[in-house]
Amino acid sequence: MSAVESFTRAQVRERYPEWKVRMLNEVAEQLSKHDVFLVVDLTKTPANVVHKFRKKYRKELEYIRTLKNNIVRKAFEKSNIELPKEMDEALTGTNLFIATDENPFLVALKISKFSVPGYPKPGDIAETEIVIPAMDTGLKPGPMLSTFGKLKIKTMVKGGTIHIAKDTVVAKPGDVISPELVSVLMTLGITPVEIKLKLKGAYIKSLGRWVPASELLLDIESYKKELMEAYLNALKLGAEIAYPVPEVLELSLTKAMQNALKLAVESAWLTKESAPYLMSKAQAQAYALASQLGDLAKELGIEISNIQATQPVSTTQEKEEQKEEEEEEKKEVSEEDLSAGLGALFG
């Protein structure tokens, strides 16, 4: 072996360490085996969150690993797969990569629902209200009293330890988290933050395209609502045209029954079902006729309860409105109603 050859191979070994070559082959193999390759942003994500995610889903998701972005790029090149421009732009910072054949929308849903309780960092913006509850902190009086004082947390020393006197709101949504607050939360073991993983998107090999997270994360509740509305609208339309399927026929028959009953009442067709409605209509017409007869009703020996007398009228304006309504009702009583009313009264 010449000195030149030896030098060249040494350069290659130095440029491409063995672990990088193994990793490159591993990623290329995953790309060839699976259809979906997801990228998750790990910026500012504690290592324990990634560990818990991997532990929870290692049996469901075939491959979960933190990789160097350039190794992923070279794996695409090695596999003769064109790296989409959008994915190339997403390969920045620290990322977690997931290779699977599972539905990418379901995987995205799992990622969005996964969270681990944690502590905020100084300078973070509070997303929800943070409350320090009343408690015995177990802390001995000392410098911590000053920190509590800065956060306007009322304390008292009791039994040799610091007690928080009452529940205290120490941050509202939009507030900047101070170092003092982080210190108190960590000392007391209060984890008010839900640390989540942020999905960047997924490369779907069968489609040959990169799908961003905005298209993968579905609003399930919104879709449920839309499907329910569509189903109800379909039922209404089906009932209108009497579409012959079991779900619709039940509604169509109910509607037909209601229409038949309405027609029977309008045409005074007496049946077991229409009788109560006809009696109610006749009674209403009888009251209307009696109000038209006035004093003549008493002379004819017709007794009718004065329903309006039982309804209290509190103001002069209400009395006038009631009078106007009565006059309108009198005008609306037709000859047909009068005849029907007389028939109901005198048989």
Side-chain angles (χ1 to χ4, degrees):
M1 182 187 297
S2 67
V4 174
E5 274 184 307
S6 177
F7 177 72
T8 304
R9 290 186 182 181
Q11 278 186 322
V12 170
R13 282 197 299 271
E14 184 179 344
R15 188 176 176 185
Y16 298 106
E18 190 176 338
W19 70 267
K20 278 191 177 182
V21 175
R22 285 201 310 270
M23 187 67 68
L24 175 62
N25 292 333
E26 178 184 299
V27 178
E29 182 184 358
Q30 295 301 322
L31 282 171
S32 65
K33 283 173 58 179
H34 302 294
D35 186 52
V36 181
F37 202 69
L38 299 103
V39 183
V40 180
D41 188 2
L42 294 186
T43 305
K44 296 182 179 179
T45 304
N48 71 309
V49 176
V50 180
H51 174 72
K52 289 180 180 179
F53 178 81
R54 186 182 286 115
K55 184 178 179 180
K56 182 174 182 179
Y57 290 113
R58 64 187 172 190
K59 291 182 179 179
E60 299 177 40
L61 303 173
E62 292 83 349
Y63 184 81
I64 307 172
R65 188 148 188 178
T66 304
L67 301 168
K68 297 288 185 181
N69 295 320
N70 281 334
I71 286 180
V72 174
R73 289 188 177 96
K74 290 186 180 297
F76 268 78
E77 185 180 342
K78 180 179 174 65
S79 304
N80 294 319
I81 300 174
E82 184 179 353
L83 182 68
K85 181 183 176 182
E86 298 87 348
M87 182 175 180
D88 188 31
E89 292 172 351
L91 295 180
T92 59
T94 306
N95 296 301
L96 180 72
F97 296 89
I98 301 170
T100 181
D101 288 319
E102 193 172 339
N103 186 315
F105 295 96
L106 293 178
V107 180
L109 185 62
K110 289 176 182 177
I111 293 171
S112 67
K113 287 187 173 181
F114 178 81
S115 65
V116 175
Y119 303 105
K121 295 180 181 178
D124 286 352
I125 304 300
E127 296 182 2
T128 58
E129 189 175 78
I130 300 177
V131 178
I132 303 294
M135 64 164 75
D136 177 3
T137 65
L139 301 172
K140 301 293 182 182
M144 205 63 186
L145 282 171
S146 175
T147 306
F148 284 132
K150 286 182 180 179
L151 297 173
K152 298 180 180 179
I153 300 173
K154 292 185 177 180
T155 59
M156 58 182 176
V157 178
K158 186 178 179 182
T161 59
I162 301 172
H163 287 246
I164 296 174
K166 63 177 183 178
D167 293 356
T168 307
V169 176
V170 289
K172 294 181 179 179
D175 289 351
V176 178
I177 305 296
S178 66
E180 291 81 9
L181 178 53
V182 175
S183 173
V184 167
L185 292 172
M186 294 183 74
T187 301
L188 299 179
I190 298 173
T191 53
V193 176
E194 290 294 323
I195 302 174
K196 293 191 170 188
L197 296 175
K198 184 181 178 183
L199 179 66
K200 286 186 174 181
Y203 174 75
I204 303 176
K205 189 166 62 176
S206 56
L207 299 178
R209 63 174 290 232
W210 167 260
V211 182
S214 58
E215 296 179 22
L216 286 173
L217 297 171
L218 305 178
D219 187 345
I220 302 300
E221 293 306 316
S222 176
Y223 276 102
K224 282 182 181 178
K225 185 178 178 182
E226 289 178 12
L227 284 172
M228 184 60 70
E229 288 178 357
Y231 177 74
L232 291 175
N233 289 335
L235 280 181
K236 289 177 185 177
L237 177 60
E240 286 295 325
I241 62 175
Y243 193 75
V245 295
E247 297 88 346
V248 173
L249 284 176
E250 186 177 348
L251 294 174
S252 298
L253 289 172
T254 302
K255 183 179 179 183
M257 180 64 184
Q258 291 172 345
N259 290 338
L261 187 58
K262 183 178 178 182
L263 178 60
V265 173
E266 288 294 325
S267 60
W269 182 267
L270 184 62
T271 65
K272 181 175 69 174
E273 291 80 8
S274 65
Y277 298 96
L278 286 170
M279 291 296 294
S280 178
K281 182 179 178 183
Q283 188 179 36
Q285 291 171 335
Y287 281 134
L289 174 61
S291 66
Q292 286 286 320
L293 294 174
D295 293 336
L296 182 59
K298 292 181 181 180
E299 294 177 11
L300 293 173
I302 301 170
E303 294 292 334
I304 180 169
S305 59
N306 189 351
I307 299 173
Q308 294 174 348
T310 63
Q311 298 175 348
V313 180
S314 58
T315 65
T316 305
Q317 183 180 353
E318 289 177 359
K319 288 181 180 179
E320 291 176 356
E321 289 176 357
Q322 186 177 11
K323 203 170 186 180
E324 289 175 5
E325 288 176 4
E326 290 174 359
E327 289 176 358
E328 288 295 326
E329 287 177 0
K330 290 177 183 178
K331 290 177 185 178
E332 290 174 359
V333 178
S334 63
E335 292 182 6
E336 184 182 348
D337 290 336
L338 288 172
S339 300
L342 284 170
L345 283 171
F346 301 109

